[in-house]
Amino acid sequence: MARFLFTNGVVSPPAATPPVASFLETHPGAYTTSRTHNDASFVLFWERHLRRLADSVTILYNSNPQLLFGPHCKTTPPSLPSLSSDSISLRSTIRELVNRSMKQVLPIAMEERREGEELSITALVSGNLEKLRVGDEGFDVSIYIGSYVPAVFGIRENGAFLAVVGRGRDFAAAKYSDWVRMRKSLERLRPPKGTELLLSNDGDRILEGTVSNLFVVRRKDISEAKAESMHCFEVQTAPLSGVLPGIIRQLVIEVCLSKGIPLREVAPLWSEREFWAEAFITSSLRLLQHAKTISFPSSWESLDSNSLEDITWIDKHFEDGPGMITTIIQKEVMEKAVLEGYSVSYL
């Protein structure tokens, strides 16, 4: 399928549209990525995405405007007061600007979509100083749409191979495009089978993936290796103080609370891996993907090497595919996807 990029009222020809990563690397701003579901009949958790997008704009505007406006912007623009993370007007503005652009480009992408494909949708909001100076909203909006074929959940072979290769990122509370460029330096350490790269600041506490959140299902007692009650386990994921507030991350937390699954927002410890029964990563494209292997460098200092060949790995294997807790959570998340789906006919 062709790629479509809509920016400030103009649709770029597919032949002139770069891959989404290349586009994000070269354009500052806050962004969010979702996808369609059920044969492109609705967009997953779109309202949640718009709220987080507005929150990311607020964080970047107040804390690091260069990430929103570009490297030429050295200080917070004086044209607007500090933005509030609870600003109803900002959320309304972002929602209107993004949905207005979606209405222009989504029908074009739908016409070109092949049967069996879903659409990946990335919305980027960039600061525009010139618009600020003339009293406009001060934002440019770009919508990037491509094709996506979701993996089937529950198949053992679809498990993720995860590897801890780097340290956590700054301004983790916001989803910003410059991270796409910054994380490229970690690619040199990606193992051949690596599905996703994980981050840790101290060589023990695992924070998140470069494009995902990580969850570990930990046994409360190592003697309960064959336990079948969910109360014998605790779901762990790193707290928001150092990770992105992922849309699916929040849904998993809500599911655990509603189903009575013990959950604690604490970074999983590699030193406690013998207690780990299951693990999975979440993202708005994958939703949930069970982990097949988590690899950790035998020496934390070896990550400073420029060569993958200089690193030896210790592996934690999960042999049986999606476990009991992962399967329960995935089923509930998919039910929420239907309930909170945003029909493409509304856009």
Side-chain angles (χ1 to χ4, degrees), residues 324-345:
M324 175 184 68
I325 303 296
T326 303
T327 301
I328 292 172
I329 293 173
Q330 191 271 348
K331 178 177 179 293
E332 295 295 319
V333 168
M334 293 310 300
E335 289 182 2
K336 281 181 171 286
V338 175
L339 291 174
E340 295 189 33
Y342 199 90
S343 174
V344 297
S345 64

Side-chain angles (χ1 to χ4, degrees), residues 12-200:
S12 298
T17 301
V20 64
S22 299
F23 170 71
L24 290 173
E25 284 177 40
T26 55
H27 292 77
Y31 78 100
T32 194
T33 297
S34 184
R35 69 169 172 88
T36 60
H37 182 63
N38 194 24
D39 201 27
S41 60
F42 58 86
V43 182
L44 290 171
F45 309 112
W46 189 237
E47 290 296 333
R48 293 184 186 242
H49 278 279
L50 293 177
R51 289 196 295 270
R52 188 185 63 181
L53 183 57
D55 292 344
S56 293
V57 168
T58 299
I59 293 168
L60 298 182
Y61 182 95
N62 291 326
S63 302
N64 193 327
Q66 288 182 321
L67 294 175
L68 183 64
F69 290 86
H72 54 278
C73 182
K74 303 299 183 184
T75 60
T76 300
S79 305
L80 288 177
S82 294
L83 297 177
S84 168
S85 60
D86 296 324
S87 171
I88 297 177
S89 61
L90 175 65
R91 286 188 173 183
S92 177
T93 296
I94 296 298
R95 186 180 190 277
E96 180 181 350
L97 290 173
V98 171
N99 282 344
R100 185 191 307 162
S101 296
M102 281 278 283
K103 289 178 181 178
Q104 298 297 317
V105 67
L106 189 57
I108 300 174
M110 289 290 289
E111 289 182 1
E112 297 295 327
R113 185 185 68 90
R114 297 171 184 168
E115 185 176 354
E117 288 182 339
E118 300 293 346
L119 301 177
S120 63
I121 302 169
T122 296
L124 174 72
V125 176
S126 305
N128 186 315
L129 290 175
E130 292 302 320
K131 287 184 176 180
L132 279 178
R133 293 188 181 103
V134 298
D136 206 340
E137 295 99 340
F139 303 115
D140 291 328
V141 172
S142 299
I143 304 292
Y144 190 109
I145 298 182
S147 62
Y148 185 77
V149 179
V152 178
F153 179 82
I155 298 177
R156 183 175 181 273
E157 290 69 23
N158 285 348
F161 291 85
L162 312 176
V164 180
V165 302
R167 292 166 175 80
R169 61 196 181 99
D170 296 327
F171 305 104
K175 192 175 180 73
Y176 55 91
S177 59
D178 201 44
W179 173 240
V180 179
R181 177 188 61 81
M182 296 166 66
R183 71 184 186 227
K184 286 180 69 177
S185 63
L186 301 176
E187 287 297 323
R188 74 187 192 282
L189 303 179
R190 182 186 292 271
K193 291 185 178 180
T195 306
E196 167 66 316
L197 306 178
L198 302 179
L199 308 174
S200 172

Side-chain angles (χ1 to χ4, degrees), residues 207-224:
L207 300 174
E208 62 180 339
T210 58
V211 294
S212 66
N213 290 109
L214 172 72
F215 289 81
V216 163
V217 180
R218 183 190 186 279
R219 295 186 188 93
K220 294 181 179 180
D221 188 331
I222 194 63
S223 65
E224 298 174 334

Side-chain angles (χ1 to χ4, degrees), residues 214-269:
L214 172 72
F215 289 81
V216 163
V217 180
R218 183 190 186 279
R219 295 186 188 93
K220 294 181 179 180
D221 188 331
I222 194 63
S223 65
E224 298 174 334
K226 300 297 184 180
E228 296 183 358
S229 169
M230 63 185 181
H231 297 290
C232 296
F233 302 94
E234 176 183 81
V235 177
Q236 296 182 342
T237 191
L240 286 181
S241 56
V243 304
L244 180 74
I247 303 299
I248 310 303
R249 175 190 182 276
Q250 178 58 34
L251 286 162
V252 170
I253 291 173
E254 293 173 11
V255 166
C256 288
L257 292 175
S258 68
K259 301 297 289 185
I261 300 173
L263 177 138
R264 198 155 53 105
E265 292 186 67
V266 59
L269 299 177

